[in-house]
Amino acid sequence: AQSVTQLDSQVPVFEEAPVELRCNYSSSVSVYLFWYVQYPNQGLQLLLKYLSGSTLVKGINGFEAEFNKSQTSFHLRKPSVHISDTAEYFCAVSEAGGYQKVTFGTGTKLQVIP
Amino acid sequence: DAGITQSPRYKITETGRQVTLMCHQTWSHSYMFWYRQDLGHGLRLIYYSAAADITDKGEVPDGYVVSRSKTENFPLTLESATRSQTSVYFCASRGLAGVDTQYFGPGTRLTVL
């Protein structure tokens, strides 16, 4: 079985400061990893995904994430946040191949402070 | 409208009543999913469907029923609503290709009194 842990339920950060949202996963097989963003009263939309290849993945809105297999982590980073980045961020994992059931973390609320 | 839509967006019902949440997608995606989102739990899969007339249970299926007679529609029915089913429900779809992204609807906020 696979699982995802997002250690921080809320992360406050000042505008233009860098941010890192942490995600650790557990799986006995190869995985695909995802970060989704949810703005208030909206559904989730994909920020970025890691399938294979380069461990540094770039996504939309200036976000990037790095896959670290030895530490089973997939932390999300942005060098300079904007007010519009205030949202909830979900890390997700699926087993590579097959049906690819996706397991979501419990989410991290990013609060950007002006 | 193109994309994935859910209706109603908000619903208040009473314990014991039957409620159906609708999901419609215009991409002809093979896979469709129903999730519930609760504080502290993230998203949990209720049911999914790999194609018309093919459905299977997810992590939390008890108290829910689904059907998929047409590729584009995937209704979720609460046969006898309970207060513990108060939640935000998201429908999602994705194509058949191995690593296609899941696309989410805007959600239905359901309150069971």
Side-chain angles (χ1 to χ4, degrees):
Chain A
Q2 59 203 28
S3 66
V4 178
T5 302
Q6 292 183 247
L7 296 168
D8 305 304
S9 59
Q10 294 189 52
V11 173
V13 63
F14 286 104
E15 193 174 14
E16 298 184 5
V19 69
E20 178 180 84
L21 306 183
R22 297 180 293 169
C23 172
N24 289 90
Y25 70 92
S26 174
S27 176
S28 57
V29 299
S30 296
V31 297
Y32 298 143
L33 293 157
F34 309 84
W35 275 100
Y36 284 85
V37 60
Q38 183 181 31
Y39 299 104
N41 298 315
Q42 295 186 25
L44 279 69
Q45 64 182 83
L46 185 70
L47 265 182
L48 49 80
K49 59 186 176 185
Y50 170 80
L51 305 178
S52 64
S54 173
T55 57
L56 183 62
V57 180
K58 293 190 183 297
I60 62 172
N61 300 338
F63 283 92
E64 64 181 31
E66 186 159 17
F67 171 56
N68 187 319
K69 189 175 181 180
S70 63
Q71 296 187 5
T72 61
S73 68
F74 191 56
H75 301 333
L76 181 70
R77 301 185 183 99
K78 187 170 183 178
S80 176
V81 296
H82 190 266
I83 291 290
S84 60
D85 293 323
T86 294
E88 190 158 19
Y89 293 79
F90 291 90
C91 182
V93 62
S94 73
E95 293 181 0
Y99 152 63
Q100 299 165 28
K101 172 182 176 292
V102 180
T103 299
F104 288 85
T106 51
T108 298
K109 289 185 178 178
L110 175 63
Q111 178 68 44
V112 180
I113 305 164
Chain B
D1 291 337
I4 183 165
T5 57
Q6 293 183 235
S7 61
R9 293 293 314 277
Y10 302 91
K11 176 73 176 179
I12 300 174
T13 191
E14 295 178 337
T15 301
R17 291 191 180 264
Q18 183 180 81
V19 177
T20 296
L21 309 184
M22 304 302 293
C23 179
H24 175 78
Q25 52 102 356
T26 61
W27 296 302
S28 298
H29 280 166
S30 296
Y31 283 96
M32 295 187 75
F33 308 85
W34 274 107
Y35 294 90
R36 58 178 291 172
Q37 183 179 26
D38 304 291
L39 196 63
H41 289 279
L43 274 77
R44 292 181 290 176
L45 182 65
I46 304 171
Y47 270 95
Y48 70 96
S49 168
D53 297 322
I54 300 175
T55 63
D56 206 349
K57 296 178 181 180
E59 184 183 353
V60 288
D62 293 343
Y64 303 95
V65 174
V66 294
S67 62
R68 194 162 177 212
S69 57
K70 293 183 178 181
T71 300
E72 61 267 28
N73 297 323
F74 191 39
L76 175 74
T77 298
L78 288 65
E79 294 187 299
S80 178
T82 65
R83 290 182 181 175
S84 64
Q85 292 177 311
T86 292
S87 186
V88 181
Y89 291 85
F90 288 99
C91 179
S93 71
R94 78 165 175 86
L96 192 60
V99 295
D100 269 2
T101 301
Q102 285 194 26
Y103 294 91
F104 284 81
T108 294
R109 184 175 294 275
L110 175 68
T111 301
V112 182
L113 302 177

